[in-house]
Amino acid sequence: MKLENYKNYQNIHIWTGILSGLLLYICFVAGAFTMFKAPLNTWALHQEHTLPPIAETQYDTLIKKVLQAHPEASAQLSVYLPNAMPKHAPVQWVIEDEDTHQHTYWQASLDNDGALISRSTSLSEIGDFLDHLHRTAGIPGGDEHDAVGIYVMGIVCVLYFVAIVSGLVIFLPTWVKDLFALRKNKKGKRFWVDFHNILGISALPFHIIIAVTTFVFAYHDILYGGLQTAVYQDKPMFNRPAPIEADRGIENLLSISVLEDKITATEPDFKLTELNFSGLGTPRARLIMGGELVGEIIRGPYYAYWVTDPYTASAGYTAMLPSVSGIPGKVVNSFFTLHFGGFGGSFIHWIYFAMGLSGCLLFLSGNIIWIESRRKKMSTSQAVKQPVSVRVLSRLTVGVCAGTFIGIGLSVIAAKQASYSQNDIQFYQHLAYYVGFIFAVVYSFCVTPIRAAIHSLYLLVLLALGCIAISCVYWQTSLSHTIDVGVSIVATCLAVLFAICARRLVKKQPHIPYDGVWQ
């Protein structure tokens, strides 16, 4: 490759990486933890704020009693069968305030005599908050579907993809020599370049998948609109079946056993787990049935879905089912399952968790390489004045990277505590994240980056230990001791990792030049 072309690709890789790296770092950290969204939601719950489970044969009775006592639940009603997660209540629905858009959660069950128990409650859904953080990088604005952060991350992922391609181009000429090489005895920058290359090449397919699928998710409405205009024109892109004439009273809802027979006739291995009703009592009533299909290309991170009419179980929308989705449906489903890691069960979730954290290190190392490349070396004759861009990015890198973990740690602890006291959980878990994140960023500008990094790492050790401590404090009220143990093991591993990194920086600190970049 000509030197000029090499430098052009190198500049493209550098600037697309710098412009997108820190936002991608936030999304990858949150995305790694989002792989365990459902277990985290369960971990944050307490027995005092759950309702008793019921037998599967009682669900039809419970649904009808809820709709009779709470007609507002017909707008959107979720039913969780015994094998679902979380296990806070068999039935749940949400009421949204039209003025404030605040959500009030209601849940229902049956007592030992078969009488209805229903109450409003506060749910943390910390896993869902981390998922929102993963999709928006914490950028405020917009609602859940049209969040500003989603559109921003769509643009960021275009830069991300360009950085991947350009990085691969500049790596290929020396790939034989540099593949998996980690030269510690060379200059510090050489080590970080090798480390960056190893992280990028070893997870190259994963990064391509994430970049492409994120762009599709961010702009799918625009993409569909373009297809409608250019290809389908006056014809509908999706053929929705006309509503079937039927008596849509509560008593005419199909039983769960009938619905289960209907879906297993199409997908024999489908294990029904949850049902989400909407628009009950109207011609547009809809039911989304979620269930496990191990080893298949499915739409969600945990479940495959089938959309039907809850009164007739008509064919409905089957594109989400692997066996009847056809080629277009399989292509769309593959975007979801590859992004969510919805294939291969828990093993793939752990692989994606590790890939997410390795992606964080990829973006961190990229920033360090940029800073080290532009840092002016100290001279014995005169003081060195570093470029503003280098000084700002070194502080932002430390602040954002540490702040993301600090914010998530505080948010997780706040969700567990607020769930027990039934305070405004959503408010406190959001507040905890943004306070932790902003504090870390501001602190990195108040002291030298190396001191900010060391202090932040020790704080992260305390937060990881705090997650273990709060799991122990509320052990008796926990819904799942298995999940408590899992959270404690992960927190212990992170605490050890943060402590090792802090000790390494403390030992390295005396050897770092006082040149205005790191200290």
Side-chain angles (χ1 to χ4, degrees), residues 145-407:
H145 180 69
D146 295 315
V148 173
I150 292 176
Y151 294 116
V152 172
M153 291 313 302
I155 297 172
V156 166
C157 278
V158 174
L159 299 176
Y160 176 29
F161 184 78
V162 173
I164 293 171
V165 174
S166 57
L168 185 61
V169 170
I170 63 178
F171 176 77
L172 286 177
T174 58
W175 74 272
V176 174
K177 180 180 68 173
D178 293 340
L179 185 63
F180 301 126
L182 192 61
R183 287 158 282 200
K184 297 182 180 180
N185 297 326
K186 299 284 185 178
K187 293 181 180 179
K189 178 190 167 185
R190 181 70 257 177
F191 167 79
W192 285 110
V193 170
D194 288 342
F195 186 52
H196 186 75
N197 289 339
I198 290 172
L199 292 172
I201 292 299
S202 61
L204 181 62
F206 174 79
H207 288 289
I208 293 174
I209 288 168
I210 298 301
V212 173
T213 54
T214 300
F215 177 80
V216 173
F217 293 160
Y219 297 112
H220 67 276
D221 286 343
I222 297 174
L223 294 173
Y224 283 149
L227 284 173
Q228 182 70 61
T229 302
V231 179
Y232 293 90
Q233 298 178 356
D234 296 333
K235 298 178 182 179
M237 186 182 303
F238 302 105
N239 292 318
R240 295 183 178 180
I244 298 174
E245 292 294 332
D247 186 348
R248 297 179 178 273
I250 296 173
E251 65 281 355
N252 292 317
L253 280 171
L254 294 178
S255 67
I256 290 178
S257 61
V258 171
L259 292 168
E260 197 164 10
D261 290 341
K262 186 73 175 179
I263 184 64
T264 52
T266 304
E267 287 285 0
D269 296 328
F270 191 95
K271 295 181 180 179
L272 184 60
T273 303
E274 64 180 35
L275 302 95
N276 295 289
F277 298 90
S278 61
L280 292 177
T282 70
R284 287 294 180 183
R286 187 176 70 167
L287 168 62
I288 302 177
M289 300 168 63
E292 297 177 353
L293 265 178
V294 179
E296 296 286 352
I297 297 176
I298 57 177
R299 180 64 67 96
Y302 299 102
Y303 304 138
Y305 293 100
W306 181 48
V307 183
T308 187
D309 187 321
Y311 297 94
T312 64
S314 57
Y317 183 60
T318 58
M320 298 189 215
L321 295 177
S323 63
V324 292
S325 58
I327 294 177
K330 283 181 169 59
V331 171
V332 173
N333 289 344
S334 67
F335 279 107
F336 286 89
T337 196
L338 288 173
H339 189 94
F340 297 149
F343 58 96
S346 297
F347 175 74
I348 295 298
H349 290 164
W350 281 108
I351 294 294
Y352 268 53
F353 176 77
M355 289 289 193
L357 295 183
S358 74
C360 304
L361 294 176
L362 177 71
F363 308 128
L364 171 61
S365 59
N367 277 22
I368 292 174
I369 293 168
W370 188 91
I371 293 166
E372 288 296 314
S373 299
R374 284 152 182 78
R375 177 168 63 89
K376 291 183 178 180
K377 303 298 186 287
M378 289 187 65
S379 172
T380 55
S381 59
Q382 59 182 3
V384 176
K385 185 175 182 180
Q386 300 292 347
V388 174
S389 59
V390 172
R391 288 186 282 120
V392 169
L393 187 62
S394 64
R395 284 156 173 77
L396 272 179
T397 298
V398 171
V400 171
C401 293
T404 302
F405 276 101
I406 290 171

Side-chain angles (χ1 to χ4, degrees), residues 466-493:
C467 289
I468 300 171
I470 202 167
S471 294
C472 295
V473 168
Y474 294 115
W475 180 266
Q476 297 299 326
T477 66
S478 169
L479 291 188
S480 172
H481 293 321
T482 301
I483 293 177
D484 284 348
V485 171
V487 169
S488 298
I489 290 174
V490 172
T492 300
C493 293

Side-chain angles (χ1 to χ4, degrees), residues 73-110:
S74 61
Q76 189 172 353
L77 182 73
S78 297
V79 177
Y80 301 105
L81 298 183
N83 58 334
M85 185 182 292
K87 304 178 184 298
H88 54 85
V91 169
Q92 174 187 304
W93 65 98
V94 181
I95 299 176
E96 181 178 357
D97 188 286
E98 294 182 357
D99 297 325
T100 64
H101 298 289
Q102 291 291 322
H103 290 166
T104 302
Y105 292 89
W106 281 77
Q107 54 188 18
S109 185
L110 299 174

